[in-house]
Amino acid sequence: MTEPAIVLGPNQYGKAEVRVVKVTRETARHEIEDLNVTSQLRGDFDRAHLAGDNSHVIATDTQKNTVFAFARGGIGSPEAFLLRLAEHFTSEFDWVSGGRWEAESFAWDRIEVQGAAHDHSFVRSGRETRTAVVVADGAARHVIGGLKGLTVLKTTESGFEGFPRDQYTTLAETSDRVLATDVAARWLYARREGEGEGEGEGEGEGEGEGDGDGGPDYDASYERVRALLLEAFAQRHSPALQATLFEMGSRVLEECPEIAEIRFSMPNKHHFVVDLTPFGLDNPNEVFYAADRPYGLIEAAVTREGVVSPAAAWEGIAGFC
C-alpha cells in the first residue's frame, strides 16, 4: 500500500491587530476613532507554501499600511471600513478570492470641564468593546456586527430550579439569586434586496459598503441592538441564563429586520451567598462572594426559521457555536 499524498489544506494569512487611531480636525471640536484591525487574505497562495514562491504574497506590512492609508479618508462605522478593505484587496489582486477582516472599536468619551464637554480631551470609555467582521467569499460579502465585555447584573428576579440531581450534585436550588454575565454577541446582517440572487441569507454582491449606499446604518443598528439586549436582560424573570439568552436574541430579531441571526457566548458570573453565621450575623441575600472561575459558559445561536446560515461567514470565529 502506498501512503496518501500530503497536500496543502485551507489557508489564509495577513496582518493581525493593526492599531489605528484617526483624529478628525475639521473644526476646533475634534473627533476620535480607535480601531484594532486584522486583515487575512484567502486565494491562490499554494506556491508560497509548496515552492517558496512569493510572487503572490502581498506582504503583511503592505496590508498594515493599507489600513493606515484608508483611515486617512475617514473610518466611519467599522463594518463599512472593513468592507472598503475587502473590496480593495479582492479587486486589486486577481489571485485574492476572498478573506476575512475583523475590527475591535474602542469608545472614547469627552472629558467634562466645568460641566461642558471638552473639544479635544477624551477619557477611555468603560463600555463594552464593539466588534465587526467582514468575510469576502467570492462575490458574497458577509457582514457581522458584534460586541464583547458587556457586563450586566440583576440582583433579583433570577433563579435556577428543577435541574436533575445525582450523587455528584451539591448545588442547592434557588428562586432568588444574583444573575451576572459578560455578554459577547455577534449578529449577521441579512443580504439586501436585489443582492446575490439565489444566494443564502446574509450573502450579497459586495458592491456597497453600507452607511449611505442604501445598506444598513451600522452605527444606528449597533446602538439599537445594544439597547434591546439590555432591555431583554432586565425586563423578565430569568429561570436560567439559557432562557435569558434566548429572550435577548429573540428581542433583537423581532425588532431588527436587517439582522438574519445572532449568536452569543455568555459566562455565568457566579455570586455565592457568604455564610456569616460564624460571626453571629445573618445574610438575607445581601453579601456575596463573586467567583471568577470556574464558571458556567452558555453559548447559542438564535435564528429565523427557514433561513440557512452561510457557513463561510462564521469560519474562524472562535467561541461561538
Side-chain angles (χ1 to χ4, degrees), residues 22-302:
K22 171 66 166 62
V23 179
T24 300
R25 306 172 182 270
E26 294 177 353
T27 69
R29 190 174 181 82
H30 296 171
E31 305 291 339
I32 186 170
E33 298 167 293
D34 186 353
L35 292 185
N36 188 26
V37 179
T38 292
S39 170
Q40 295 173 300
L41 307 182
R42 300 169 183 168
D44 180 12
F45 302 114
D46 287 7
R47 288 190 57 79
H49 294 87
L50 304 177
D53 181 351
N54 294 329
S55 59
H56 278 187
V57 178
I58 304 157
T60 64
D61 190 67
T62 301
Q63 295 178 54
K64 175 201 70 178
N65 292 340
T66 304
V67 171
F68 292 141
F70 274 44
R72 176 63 182 87
I75 290 176
S77 73
E79 292 88 350
F81 186 69
L82 298 181
L83 279 166
R84 289 173 57 202
L85 292 171
E87 291 306 311
H88 169 76
F89 285 110
T90 56
S91 62
E92 188 77 10
F93 304 98
D94 294 340
W95 58 89
V96 177
S97 59
R100 184 173 181 274
W101 291 265
E102 184 169 5
E104 297 173 320
S105 179
F106 306 113
W108 293 82
D109 296 328
R110 295 186 184 276
I111 294 175
E112 287 199 2
V113 179
Q114 298 179 344
H118 200 272
D119 283 345
H120 56 261
S121 296
F122 302 83
V123 59
R124 179 72 172 268
S125 169
R127 285 178 44 150
E128 75 287 346
T129 300
R130 179 176 175 179
T131 64
V133 176
V134 166
V135 175
D137 183 28
R141 298 291 181 269
H142 308 289
V143 181
I144 299 174
L147 55 80
K148 63 180 182 178
L150 182 66
T151 302
V152 292
L153 180 150
K154 61 194 309 179
T155 56
T156 189
E157 292 193 3
S158 172
F160 188 53
E161 302 174 283
F163 52 90
R165 309 190 72 87
D166 67 6
Q167 65 269 36
Y168 303 116
T169 302
T170 59
L171 184 67
E173 295 191 0
T174 179
S175 60
D176 188 11
R177 66 171 182 173
V178 169
L179 179 67
T181 185
D182 291 327
V183 181
R186 293 188 187 268
W187 50 91
L188 176 68
Y189 286 95
R191 67 173 174 85
R192 288 171 285 173
E193 194 66 30
E195 285 186 335
E197 293 298 333
E199 296 174 330
E201 190 75 21
E203 297 184 3
E205 292 297 327
E207 294 176 355
E209 299 175 2
D211 290 0
D213 70 340
D217 181 337
Y218 295 115
D219 287 340
S221 184
Y222 177 83
E223 293 299 333
R224 180 65 173 148
V225 171
R226 181 183 187 275
L228 290 168
L229 293 175
L230 294 176
E231 288 176 7
F233 177 83
Q235 286 179 330
R236 292 195 180 180
H237 177 273
S238 173
L241 186 54
Q242 287 91 334
T244 297
L245 178 156
F246 186 74
E247 173 66 21
M248 294 165 73
S250 298
R251 185 75 62 89
V252 170
L253 296 188
E254 290 165 358
E255 300 292 334
C256 302
E258 73 276 17
I259 293 174
E261 66 175 292
I262 183 168
R263 302 188 179 194
F264 295 92
S265 181
M266 295 168 56
N268 196 334
K269 299 172 70 70
H270 302 297
H271 287 65
F272 298 109
V273 177
V274 177
D275 180 9
L276 298 180
T277 56
F279 318 120
L281 301 171
D282 66 353
N283 187 6
N285 262 13
E286 292 185 358
V287 180
F288 299 87
Y289 166 64
D292 63 346
R293 64 195 65 182
Y295 52 85
L297 181 60
I298 315 303
E299 298 179 319
V302 183

